[in-house]
Amino acid sequence: DAGVIQSPRHEVTEMGQEVTLRCKPISGHNSLFWYRQTMMRGLELLIYFNNNVPIDDSGMPEDRFSAKMPNASFSTLKIQPSEPRDSAVYFCASSFGGFTEAFFGQGTRLTVV
Amino acid sequence: QKEVEQNSGPLSVPEGAIASLNCTYSDRGSQSFFWYRQYSGKSPELIMSIYSNGDKEDGRFTAQLNKASQYVSLLIRDSQPSDSATYLCAVNVGGSQGNLIFGKGTKLSVKP
């Protein structure tokens, strides 16, 4: 299995631009998580999906952030418009069921200038 | 607000010693507990999972769970410089629909 696949690995964009991060979970996993990691705040859960349905998006910082999971093999996290404070590493993770461990993708390092 | 707390460290131990990492959590209904290791610039990787009270051993790693005290720990025996990393405690909250919450991590440094 190829594991969780995220793209792009690195993204540098100008303030105000739209950014879309992509994730392909492990085949057969039915839970998908989007996390953001910074030195100050650690690994924060932004949103998670179960069977393609958003269960809890209370971690999404503001309306500029949105996430979708149109099918079991693909999810996107969009930031529009982006701001410098959005600069962080964004991780996608997937798991098989709520009680089991999650496996992480390689992450997307986002820099907004 | 459901939380997972860890000492940020850094925790420094000499090579060959036992490293002890601790974690507390706020949600009494949590049933699944995990330890991840994260090297600088890399993604978190799972090293241990524990679901029942008591100890679980895997090689040099031992996870300990005490649900009454809402406490999880990780012991690393015979610590090696390659164990130097940040260790993240993760707790499942929300039952079968699986919300996985992480602590901020403890940075471990193993000195040769």
Side-chain angles (χ1 to χ4, degrees):
Chain A
D1 197 321
V4 177
I5 300 173
Q6 291 186 245
S7 64
R9 292 290 307 277
H10 302 274
E11 177 82 27
V12 180
T13 190
E14 292 185 347
M15 183 173 62
Q17 296 298 305
E18 177 179 296
V19 175
T20 299
L21 310 182
R22 296 173 176 80
C23 176
K24 176 179 169 56
I26 293 172
S27 178
H29 282 189
N30 62 354
S31 290
L32 183 139
F33 308 85
W34 281 102
Y35 292 93
R36 177 173 69 176
Q37 188 173 42
T38 61
M39 288 292 292
M40 289 295 294
R41 300 173 70 90
L43 199 61
E44 301 174 276
L45 179 67
L46 300 177
I47 185 171
Y48 77 99
F49 296 84
N50 185 258
N51 293 323
N52 311 336
V53 176
I55 302 300
D56 185 354
D57 65 355
S58 60
M60 298 284 260
E62 46 197 275
D63 292 345
R64 298 185 296 108
F65 286 69
S66 62
K68 293 182 179 179
M69 192 165 185
N71 57 61
S73 59
F74 184 65
S75 178
T76 60
L77 177 67
K78 185 176 292 186
I79 308 172
Q80 165 64 18
S82 57
E83 296 183 3
R85 60 193 168 118
D86 302 330
S87 297
V89 180
Y90 290 81
F91 287 106
C92 175
S94 69
S95 72
F96 181 66
F99 297 111
T100 62
E101 61 272 16
F103 295 89
F104 282 75
Q106 295 290 80
T108 295
R109 182 173 295 277
L110 173 66
T111 303
V112 183
V113 298
Chain B
Q1 181 78 6
K2 295 172 181 174
E3 296 181 340
V4 178
E5 300 285 344
Q6 296 181 254
N7 289 327
S8 61
L11 174 65
S12 183
V13 301
E15 184 175 354
I18 296 175
S20 178
L21 305 162
N22 305 313
C23 170
T24 58
Y25 59 95
S26 63
D27 181 17
R28 283 198 168 272
S30 298
Q31 299 186 40
S32 310
F33 307 87
F34 309 96
W35 284 99
Y36 286 77
R37 177 176 61 200
Q38 187 176 25
Y39 293 112
S40 180
K42 302 295 186 182
S43 56
E45 58 176 331
L46 178 75
I47 53 173
M48 290 286 286
S49 60
I50 187 165
Y51 301 92
S52 306
N53 278 330
D55 295 359
K56 179 181 178 182
E57 187 174 317
D58 184 0
R60 295 186 295 111
F61 298 96
T62 299
Q64 299 174 317
L65 174 61
N66 183 326
K67 290 184 179 180
S69 300
Q70 296 175 241
Y71 177 88
V72 193
S73 66
L74 179 71
L75 300 178
I76 307 174
R77 291 182 300 280
D78 188 23
S79 296
Q80 301 296 309
S82 59
D83 294 326
S84 299
T86 297
Y87 289 80
L88 300 164
C89 174
V91 177
N92 161 269
V93 299
S96 62
Q97 292 193 316
N99 185 353
L100 195 60
I101 301 296
F102 283 78
K104 291 189 176 180
T106 299
K107 189 170 184 177
L108 173 67
S109 177
V110 181
K111 304 294 187 184

